């Protein structure tokens, strides 16, 4: 229970994401009253303030402390989480829209986004002239697809060369594969 609470309150980032994954898969955590918040954080879903009332009752006094900007540790953690979740939903968003989504003032939303980008906990850039945050997704699947496609082309090229140089060997090998 304590590990779950501390992970939920932790600053958004890779380390917290790993902890969320571990706790989400742990059967014991599924019985906890705070599992719904853990699940939403793990699945990168937006969390509204109204959903936090039950979770707040589980917090100890020191966990209810106020941060320098006047928000609680929980509010700060949820705002950062929601910002990361928004970065997966949107390519870009205005400060006004981001503030409304995060349920905070637009200038505070800009400040938090700027800090998370600077700390490399989120990828993107801020266009202050147009008042827009541009989120950058890591193109891992596109890169993976291109690498697989390249490998397939190379394999086909090798097969074509074998076909022209050693057609009899290729036919015997293919027949042997079909029989096995």
């Amino acid at each position: 229970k304590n590990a779950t609470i501390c992970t939920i309150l932790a600053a958004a980032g890779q380390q917290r994401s790993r902890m969320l994954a571990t706790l989400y898969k742990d059967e014991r955590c599924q019985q906890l009253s705070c599992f719904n918040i853990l699940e939403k954080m793990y699945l990168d879903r937006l969390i509204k303030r109204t959903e936090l009332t039950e979770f707040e009752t589980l917090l100890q006094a020191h966990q209810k402390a106020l941060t320098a900007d006047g928000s609680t540790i929980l509010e700060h953690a949820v705002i950062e989480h929601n910002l990361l979740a928004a970065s997966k939903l949107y390519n870009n968003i205005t400060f006004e829209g981001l503030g409304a989504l995060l349920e905070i003032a637009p200038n505070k939303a800009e400040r938090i986004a700027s800090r998370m980008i600077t700390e490399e906990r989120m990828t993107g850039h801020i266009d202050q002239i147009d008042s827009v945050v541009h989120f950058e997704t890591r193109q891992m699947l596109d890169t993976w697809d291109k690498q697989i496609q390249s490998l397939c082309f190379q394999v086909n090229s090798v097969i074509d060369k074998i076909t022209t140089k050693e057609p009899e060997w290729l036919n015997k090998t293919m027949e042997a594969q079909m029989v096995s």
Side-chain angles (χ1 to χ4, degrees), residues 107-150:
N107 63 338
K108 186 174 180 180
E110 176 190 6
R111 200 169 49 250
I112 293 170
S114 173
R115 185 171 11 85
M116 289 180 71
I117 291 169
T118 303
E119 293 172 355
E120 296 182 355
R121 293 189 290 139
M122 181 174 74
T123 53
H125 63 277
I126 294 176
D127 181 343
Q128 289 183 320
I129 295 170
D130 292 332
S131 298
V132 174
V133 179
H134 295 273
F135 302 112
E136 296 169 14
T137 57
R138 295 190 175 98
Q139 301 296 337
M140 295 302 284
L141 285 178
D142 289 341
T143 304
W144 183 255
D145 283 346
K146 287 177 184 166
Q147 289 173 341
I148 290 173
Q149 188 177 30
S150 173

Side-chain angles (χ1 to χ4, degrees), residues 2 18 25 32 38 42 58 87 123 132 149 167 176:
N2 289 338
R18 283 192 294 272
K25 294 171 186 170
L32 298 173
L38 174 72
Y42 173 71
L58 301 174
S87 75
T123 53
V132 174
Q149 188 177 30

Side-chain angles (χ1 to χ4, degrees), residues 77-89:
V78 170
I79 288 168
E80 285 189 352
H81 161 77
N82 283 344
L83 185 53
L84 275 179
S87 75
K88 292 178 173 67
L89 292 172

Side-chain angles (χ1 to χ4, degrees), residues 45-134:
R45 294 184 180 151
L46 294 172
I47 300 171
K48 295 180 182 175
R49 284 185 194 208
T50 56
E51 298 175 86
L52 299 174
T53 50
E54 183 183 343
F55 181 76
E56 285 175 326
T57 63
L58 301 174
L59 299 180
Q60 296 176 18
H62 70 279
Q63 294 169 325
K64 295 178 182 179
L66 296 178
T67 59
D69 65 1
S71 61
T72 66
I73 296 170
L74 176 60
E75 289 169 342
H76 189 73
V78 170
I79 288 168
E80 285 189 352
H81 161 77
N82 283 344
L83 185 53
L84 275 179
S87 75
K88 292 178 173 67
L89 292 172
Y90 298 95
N91 291 327
N92 56 54
I93 189 170
T94 63
F95 299 149
E96 195 73 35
L98 186 60
L101 189 69
L102 301 177
E103 300 173 317
I104 58 175
N107 63 338
K108 186 174 180 180
E110 176 190 6
R111 200 169 49 250
I112 293 170
S114 173
R115 185 171 11 85
M116 289 180 71
I117 291 169
T118 303
E119 293 172 355
E120 296 182 355
R121 293 189 290 139
M122 181 174 74
T123 53
H125 63 277
I126 294 176
D127 181 343
Q128 289 183 320
I129 295 170
D130 292 332
S131 298
V132 174
V133 179
H134 295 273

Side-chain angles (χ1 to χ4, degrees), residues 148-163:
I148 290 173
Q149 188 177 30
S150 173
L151 179 64
C152 289
F153 284 133
Q154 291 172 13
V155 169
N156 284 340
S157 175
V158 169
I159 290 173
D160 289 343
K161 289 177 182 175
I162 291 172
T163 303

